Amino acid sequence: MKVTQEKLPASQIGLEIEIPSDLSAKTYDRTVQNFRRSANIPGFRKGKVPRQILLQRLGSQRIKAAALEEAIQEALKKVIEQEQIEALGNYQLNSDFDALVGEYTPGQPLTFSAKVDVPPEVTLEEDKYQGLEVRVEEVKYEPEKVDEFLEERRVEQATLIPIEERPAQMGDVAIVDFEGRLAPETQGEETEPFAGGTAEDFEVELVEGKLIPGFVEQIAGMKLEEKKDIQVTFPEEYGNEELAGKDAVFAVTLKELKEKELPELDDDFAKEASEFETLAELRESLVTRFKKEAEDKTAQN
């Protein structure tokens, strides 16, 4: 297929392509057949409309335009493969399409021009990119992570022991009843309990940050069966917009109190917490694991 290339600004290539006579004829005949199969003309079954009647009813310009559009598409596809052009996206027709339709005669060659986008050409000067240094953040192995991991597993396997002789303290597990009400805006005003603010036999671990800020901290120091009003303020980002940022009072009763009894850090613990038979083997495995994690993170950086 005859083609002339021209480099254009903005990473484009201009193409002048001659549609050969055989392609011109084939696409026209194929287009006519497609119209015959789909045309709905009174007095004729689909696919049986005589060619001359079809041309009269649909108009020769309409059929020529459809055939030419297909011929251009096919010619461009063949040229891009033939010339090994790394085209990006679709083509842009430079020639006036209506003028091409007027010039188009099925079975005769026709020349048109178009342009396609191609990847930009980049010229690098060696002294601009060679010898550069790249600093990578190194993630170092932290031995204390082994002890932290083991302590977390001990807490997970802790046994809860009922407590009766002392007040609640941070780290305990408490069973409480509570009823929450929004703080009254004026002194002596009665407020109704709000939805979701009441519970019975509710288990809560007395760990800072649990539930609403300040709630569990005020349970610390309570004795069994003691009742206490706990004042809190809901966070501004609280999930319930009706409560966000508002003050509330919870009437709390401490019903049960338990403390965590942690297992000994020994071989029995290692067997219970892992697939290893001894604590030494478990520690060695954790050291290898955390060292590899640090190396992998460094490599990823």
Side-chain angles (χ1 to χ4, degrees), residues 36-55:
R36 287 185 70 185
R37 282 193 291 269
S38 61
N40 188 10
I41 297 177
F44 299 95
R45 287 184 296 163
K46 285 186 177 181
K48 300 298 181 179
V49 182
R51 186 186 186 103
Q52 196 58 36
I53 299 295
L54 184 72
L55 295 176

Side-chain angles (χ1 to χ4, degrees), residues 31-297:
T31 302
V32 171
Q33 290 302 320
N34 289 337
F35 274 115
R36 287 185 70 185
R37 282 193 291 269
S38 61
N40 188 10
I41 297 177
F44 299 95
R45 287 184 296 163
K46 285 186 177 181
K48 300 298 181 179
V49 182
R51 186 186 186 103
Q52 196 58 36
I53 299 295
L54 184 72
L55 295 176
Q56 290 175 357
R57 290 297 185 92
L58 299 183
S60 61
Q61 290 298 100
R62 176 182 174 184
I63 295 177
K64 284 174 63 177
L68 181 59
E69 186 174 358
E70 184 178 339
I72 289 173
Q73 290 273 11
E74 191 169 336
L76 272 164
K77 182 180 177 181
K78 288 183 177 180
V79 164
I80 288 172
E81 291 177 358
Q82 171 186 306
E83 303 295 317
Q84 298 183 334
I85 298 171
E86 193 177 351
L88 303 175
N90 206 352
Y91 71 94
Q92 301 169 54
L93 189 65
N94 286 342
S95 300
D96 182 85
F97 185 74
D98 291 337
L100 287 175
V101 173
E103 298 172 17
Y104 176 44
T105 300
Q108 296 295 320
L110 179 67
T111 301
F112 71 94
S113 62
K115 58 185 177 183
V116 292
D117 293 318
V118 293
E121 292 182 2
V122 180
T123 303
L124 295 176
E125 299 176 27
E126 290 188 0
D127 61 336
K128 299 298 184 183
Y129 69 89
Q130 292 185 347
L132 297 178
E133 291 185 359
V134 179
R135 293 188 178 273
V136 177
E137 180 184 356
E138 180 183 6
V139 179
K140 295 184 178 180
Y141 160 65
E142 300 173 0
E144 59 270 21
K145 281 193 171 184
V146 174
D147 292 326
E148 291 173 3
F149 179 89
L150 292 173
E151 191 61 24
E152 289 173 1
R153 300 293 84 74
R154 287 182 72 204
V155 171
E156 288 177 359
Q157 297 190 29
T159 303
L160 295 178
I161 306 299
I163 298 296
E164 295 181 355
E165 69 277 5
R166 66 165 174 78
Q169 61 186 30
M170 298 301 286
D172 289 343
V173 174
I175 307 296
V176 298
D177 292 346
F178 60 78
E179 181 182 75
R181 300 169 182 262
L182 290 178
E185 296 182 0
T186 59
Q187 190 172 4
E189 179 188 358
E190 286 288 335
T191 57
E192 294 293 325
F194 53 82
T198 301
E200 293 183 356
D201 297 326
F202 184 82
E203 182 178 286
V204 57
E205 187 176 1
L206 303 188
V207 177
E208 185 177 354
K210 287 277 188 179
L211 303 180
I212 307 163
F215 185 90
V216 298
E217 290 84 349
Q218 295 181 64
I219 294 177
M222 290 180 66
K223 298 178 181 179
L224 284 176
E225 301 304 327
E226 181 181 350
K227 297 181 179 180
K228 180 179 180 181
D229 285 344
I230 291 179
Q231 299 183 354
V232 297
T233 301
F234 285 95
E236 294 291 342
E237 322 69 61
Y238 195 66
N240 186 339
E241 295 181 358
E242 294 181 359
L243 300 176
K246 293 186 179 179
D247 297 329
V249 178
F250 285 85
V252 178
T253 301
L254 178 59
K255 301 177 72 175
E256 294 181 47
L257 190 63
K258 301 173 185 179
E259 68 177 349
K260 292 183 177 181
E261 185 178 84
L262 303 184
E264 292 294 326
L265 203 56
D266 54 18
D267 291 345
D268 289 336
F269 166 79
K271 292 176 184 177
E272 189 70 27
S274 70
E275 70 273 20
F276 298 101
E277 292 294 318
T278 67
L279 182 62
E281 290 175 337
L282 175 56
R283 278 188 175 278
E284 183 181 354
S285 168
L286 292 173
V287 169
T288 301
R289 167 183 163 182
F290 289 127
K291 281 184 176 179
K292 186 176 186 309
E293 284 183 0
E295 291 171 358
D296 289 346
K297 288 179 180 177

